[in-house]
Amino acid sequence: MKSPVRYILPLLLLMTMACRKDLPQLNDPQNYVNANFNEVFDGFWTGMNNNYVFWDIDTVNWDQVYRTYKPLFAKLNVNDSNDVRKAYTYFKQMTSGLVDSHYDISFADTWLADSNSVNPAYQRKIASPGFHPPISIFHFYDTIPRHYLDAGRRGFTNTPDKQYVAVSGTINQNILYLFFNGFNLKTLFNTDTINGVKRVEQYFFDALANRTDLKGIIIDVRGNGGGSLDDLNFLLGKMITQPLHFGYTRSKLGNGRLDYSPWAPAYVSPQAGSKAVTVPIVMLADAWSVSMAEMTTMAVKALPNGHFVGERTWGANGPLTGNKFYNGGQFSTGWLKLVYTSSLMFKYKDGNIYEGTGFPPDMAVPYNPAALKAGRDLQLEAALSLIH
């Protein structure tokens, strides 16, 4: 099963972040030949030592990892399929406790084609006592429109990488609802071709701009795996007229494990023609709300009229981009196709870092499979209860 968090967050200028120094990458992991498992291990360990951005909060002792696993890898033969599978097991063990919840390793070796990528957060999620599957997309596309919406639009758009689904409408005539399953709103809206998601967005934005009788707005990102950071301004920037400070970011300044930039403030910027929304804005998010779904929830919560209903989110908050922009983030070696890891650390405006733990709701409403089967959405009903 592929990880639900494999969505890259591109760089956005709304965050004032330190730029990459023009420094050489010492012992660049891509320069390791990977002719034997000594080099495979050294390339990986060095890449993590230099590029991983969470070492000051992570509980994994990276020096102890070297002492433990260096001799184990030295015993393996890179041309032996059984040893390759042992190496895969070692990679799972080495990374199982990493706090970065975007973290994922994919392998170039064809012998591992039938194996899952190494994804510590996903493994922890399915092993947790409160684990539940994501809510079915048909609940949002079919059940909510039939049981809760007065009128509105729904649609989907297929891209080479993903099917995007969106639903919008009113509840009780004057509560505006929006659901979408992935953050690619700006790109889909600005395409020349009319598509299903674009029609839904247009409905939502028209109601937002023109209706004066709205009592509240519900933005539903349950099961949303994240996507483009551009959507933060594109969506929430239409609801504010002043920059919204909601947190801080920092990057690596160089190759030192703890060589960090200062914390820099992160903002959502108002968009042209925006208006200040003063009625309640309620985010609906759950344990499968990842990355940009979490960042958007955090930004709404920073508003005086913002609320969050549902479950604690996934816990992958660090933005990602190619490491040519920063001295940290994703890298590859000859044997490791991609080590997918955050480029920046994010801290919420309350001073807390929610990486690995998830962002907590104001009003906790647990997943209820029996109610969902019966066509009821208790989390949505709780969100409605906050709007009077």
Side-chain angles (χ1 to χ4, degrees):
M1 179 176 178
K2 290 293 184 183
S3 159
V5 298
R6 298 291 300 277
Y7 304 109
I8 296 177
L9 299 181
L11 177 66
L12 187 66
L13 293 180
L14 69 91
M15 294 187 173
T16 307
M17 300 175 287
C19 293
R20 178 184 175 92
K21 287 183 178 179
D22 188 14
L23 296 176
Q25 171 68 285
L26 302 177
N27 300 318
D28 190 330
Q30 297 186 71
N31 293 337
Y32 284 81
V33 178
N34 286 189
N36 57 63
F37 270 119
N38 264 323
E39 292 176 335
V40 170
F41 175 80
D42 284 345
F44 171 70
W45 190 90
T46 301
M48 285 291 295
N49 193 64
N50 294 351
N51 287 35
Y52 190 68
V53 301
F54 296 106
W55 285 131
D56 65 332
I57 66 168
D58 209 297
T59 59
V60 174
N61 184 329
W62 202 237
D63 293 317
Q64 184 59 48
V65 166
Y66 189 92
R67 290 189 291 268
T68 300
Y69 286 93
K70 173 71 171 177
L72 295 178
F73 274 87
K75 296 177 183 178
L76 302 180
N77 180 351
V78 76
N79 296 311
D80 185 315
S81 61
N82 290 325
D83 282 357
V84 168
R85 294 188 182 280
K86 282 184 183 179
Y88 172 77
T89 299
Y90 294 157
F91 277 111
K92 288 184 71 174
Q93 293 170 351
M94 283 189 293
T95 60
S96 62
L98 293 177
V99 71
D100 182 2
S101 292
H102 276 110
Y103 195 86
D104 186 275
I105 303 175
S106 55
F107 298 90
D109 199 294
T110 55
W111 281 325
L112 289 172
D114 61 341
S115 297
N116 291 340
S117 61
V118 171
N119 190 291
Y122 178 71
Q123 294 302 319
R124 290 193 294 267
K125 180 71 67 176
I126 62 176
S128 64
F131 171 77
H132 64 78
I135 298 173
S136 167
I137 193 69
F138 296 106
H139 173 76
F140 303 102
Y141 197 76
D142 181 63
T143 303
I144 287 179
R146 284 193 298 115
H147 289 208
Y148 292 94
L149 299 188
D150 308 311
R153 287 190 180 273
R154 60 182 183 174
F156 62 89
T157 302
N158 294 323
T159 71
D161 302 319
K162 182 180 174 68
Q163 183 179 75
Y164 291 92
V165 175
V167 176
S168 186
T170 57
I171 302 174
N172 300 332
Q173 305 303 324
N174 52 17
I175 297 173
L176 186 59
Y177 171 86
L178 174 66
F179 164 82
F180 53 101
N181 71 329
F183 281 84
N184 200 20
L185 297 174
K186 183 177 180 180
T187 297
L188 294 175
F189 190 79
N190 289 334
T191 58
D192 294 333
T193 305
I194 299 297
N195 59 72
V197 171
K198 182 172 182 174
R199 289 191 180 96
V200 173
E201 292 181 75
Q202 190 65 64
Y203 174 93
F204 177 80
F205 291 142
D206 286 347
L208 189 67
N210 299 324
R211 291 193 56 166
T212 59
D213 62 334
L214 293 179
K215 294 177 63 177
I217 298 168
I218 296 174
I219 301 174
D220 193 341
V221 293
R222 288 176 292 176
N224 188 311
S228 173
L229 191 55
D230 285 348
D231 285 354
L232 197 57
N233 276 349
F234 180 70
L235 179 61
L236 298 187
K238 292 178 172 61
M239 306 182 197
I240 58 174
T241 55
Q242 299 294 324
L244 172 65
H245 173 229
F246 71 106
Y248 307 86
T249 61
R250 73 176 183 186
S251 64
K252 296 286 294 295
L253 282 175
N255 295 323
R257 194 182 293 175
L258 300 178
D259 187 4
Y260 291 111
S261 73
W263 288 104
Y267 293 90
V268 180
S269 298
Q271 300 300 287
S274 65
K275 71 174 186 180
V277 174
T278 57
V279 298
I281 304 173
V282 185
M283 292 299 299
L284 268 176
D286 66 5
W288 292 93
S289 299
V290 184
S291 195
M292 260 299 292
E294 300 177 86
M295 298 281 279
T296 305
T297 300
M298 290 177 171
V300 167
K301 264 295 296 169
L303 291 165
N305 54 323
H307 308 272
F308 168 27
V309 172
E311 300 175 296
R312 184 179 286 268
T313 60
W314 182 275
N317 311 145
L320 293 97
T321 187
N323 65 8
K324 65 181 179 180
F325 298 109
Y326 299 98
N327 288 289
Q330 62 194 43
F331 64 93
S332 59
T333 73
W335 203 73
L336 302 177
K337 184 177 180 180
L338 182 65
V339 177
Y340 186 79
T341 181
S342 299
S343 307
L344 303 156
M345 187 187 296
F346 179 78
K347 177 172 65 174
Y348 190 54
K349 67 177 295 184
D350 64 4
N352 291 317
I353 297 170
Y354 292 99
E355 188 72 34
T357 61
F359 194 59
D362 307 329
M363 181 185 293
V365 183
Y367 172 81
N368 189 315
L372 290 170
K373 187 176 180 179
R376 288 194 63 190
D377 190 328
L378 301 184
Q379 292 171 333
L380 175 57
E381 290 177 12
L384 291 168
S385 73
L386 296 176
I387 300 173
H388 306 289

